[in-house]
Amino acid sequence: MNFKGKDIISLRDFKKEEIEYILQKASEVKEGRHSNSLKGKVLASLFFEPSTRTRLSFEAAMTLLGGNFFGIADPQSSSTQKGETLKDTIKTISGYCDVIAIRHPFEGAARASADVTEIPIINAGDGSNQHPTQTLLDLYTIKEQFGSLDGLNIGLLGDLKYGRTVHSLSMALSFYNVKLFMISPELLKMPIHYAQYLENKGIKYTETQNIFDVGQDLDILYVTRIQRERFGDLQEYEKVAGSYKINLEVLDKLNKKIKIMHPLPRVDEIDDSVDKTDNAIYFEQAHNGIPVRQAILGLVTGAIQ
Ligand code: CP
């Protein structure tokens, strides 16, 4: 399968076999194959929104396979402050590197970037829209834990309206034989077009506001932060802030074998006391960002086949 030059923008663009191929390459990288494969390659990591895991794991992924990176971590220090358009920024930086990872608050910013350059663009999160590399590491983590992505009952808890991770993840899971459980306050329900997408793909899902309605049936609970920064009206945010929290008492009432995932960062939706349980896998999940992003960088630059 040839990924050289491909953009990674949205799960909408993927075929199942492409997802499987990336996960296979991530396993190979994790086993120590493909060392130094990115030697001579340069990543531009352009982050116009805050990030810890995505930016740093992209940069670490590049370095660990022998490549180099430069980037924008603080948009205040770039020429966007002087009024430069995103398109001009991308056209310019394309001449300095082999691949660009971009995070931007505007939905569609990664697609717009890809339209003005021949080098691969990787969407590292565009507004509330998509976060495809997060999804690939989520799938990788699930496969690592369960051996397969099929036959699982997966609960998505929290901000399903603004959470780009659950938008991408639910689309990816539609390739597999899973049952989805959407657990959120009414105000934070999954947008209708994502729900429609799943229905069109024949994916069964249940909606509820109460984790205890479904908690005994779940293999995985994927918890998300309420995306405070996406609310136009902070009074609306206040209505839902703190409306769910996974702590030991709640965990005790769920399936004993449940695995708790979270893209992180968390605010207060998972209590620290859950971290030491066998159920918590969110830090392993975050660490899988390295092999998965190494595989993606290798594939789109043509360094890994
Ligand atoms: N999961 C994730 O995207 O984390 P960051 O915002 O820290 O990159």
Side-chain angles (χ1 to χ4, degrees), residues 52-284:
T52 295
R53 276 144 292 276
T54 312
R55 181 172 69 82
L56 297 179
S57 64
F58 262 117
E59 294 173 359
M62 201 68 192
T63 310
L64 288 165
L65 285 186
N68 287 301
F69 71 87
F70 65 86
I72 296 170
D74 172 13
Q76 303 296 325
S77 69
S78 79
S79 283
T80 49
Q81 286 307 298
K82 301 177 198 162
E84 184 172 52
T85 64
L86 177 63
K87 287 185 176 183
D88 280 358
T89 302
I90 297 294
K91 283 182 194 173
T92 304
I93 291 174
S94 293
Y96 306 160
C97 61
D98 301 288
V99 52
I100 293 175
I102 180 169
R103 171 170 290 186
H104 201 282
F106 295 158
E107 295 189 15
R111 185 85 71 194
S113 301
D115 285 345
V116 296
T117 182
E118 292 301 310
I119 69 167
I121 296 287
I122 302 174
N123 183 4
D126 62 327
S128 298
N129 187 30
Q130 290 276 305
H131 195 349
T133 65
Q134 176 69 44
T135 290
L136 289 161
L137 76 88
D138 294 341
L139 298 180
Y140 183 86
T141 305
I142 294 171
K143 209 166 175 183
E144 199 170 55
Q145 290 285 330
F146 290 87
S148 169
L149 285 153
D150 290 310
L152 297 172
N153 288 349
I154 302 177
L156 306 177
L157 170 66
D159 188 347
L160 310 186
K161 180 176 182 182
Y162 296 115
R164 57 195 172 201
T165 60
V166 282
H167 297 162
S168 293
L169 180 59
S170 58
M171 289 173 85
L173 289 171
S174 72
F175 287 118
Y176 298 92
N177 176 24
V178 295
K179 277 193 200 149
L180 294 181
F181 298 80
M182 314 286 192
I183 312 151
S184 72
E186 185 65 24
L187 265 177
L188 299 178
K189 276 175 67 169
M190 184 68 85
I192 189 74
H193 58 281
Y194 286 107
Q196 206 80 59
Y197 183 93
L198 296 174
E199 272 178 24
N200 291 343
K201 294 269 185 171
I203 292 297
K204 293 196 182 76
Y205 68 90
T206 303
E207 288 185 312
T208 178
Q209 295 188 35
N210 187 348
I211 177 67
F212 299 119
D213 287 347
V214 296
Q216 284 289 340
D217 296 329
L218 298 178
D219 299 298
I220 295 167
L221 181 64
Y222 190 101
V223 186
T224 62
R225 173 179 69 89
I226 299 181
Q227 308 279 300
R228 186 177 189 273
E229 66 275 26
R230 310 275 179 230
F231 282 75
D233 176 356
L234 277 185
Q235 282 184 338
E236 291 291 290
Y237 169 75
E238 294 302 338
K239 284 183 193 165
V240 286
S243 55
Y244 53 93
K245 181 167 191 160
I246 305 301
N247 54 27
L248 292 179
E249 200 185 333
V250 172
L251 193 58
D252 195 45
K253 297 192 177 85
L254 308 181
N255 173 7
K256 293 283 170 273
K257 291 184 174 172
I258 197 167
K259 295 297 180 191
I260 309 290
M261 299 180 71
H262 192 308
L264 303 175
R266 67 177 154 186
V267 181
D268 57 4
E269 58 279 358
I270 301 179
D271 191 79
D272 285 358
S273 58
V274 175
D275 297 1
K276 59 181 181 304
T277 67
D278 290 339
N279 308 92
I281 58 167
Y282 29 88
F283 288 108
E284 287 161 74

Side-chain angles (χ1 to χ4, degrees), residues 27-39:
S27 291
E28 291 176 13
V29 171
K30 199 166 181 177
E31 285 162 10
R33 290 167 62 182
H34 306 292
S35 62
N36 260 341
S37 56
L38 288 169
K39 194 169 169 19

Side-chain angles (χ1 to χ4, degrees), residues 282-295:
Y282 29 88
F283 288 108
E284 287 161 74
Q285 181 186 353
H287 295 159
N288 279 334
I290 298 285
V292 171
R293 292 188 169 112
Q294 284 175 316

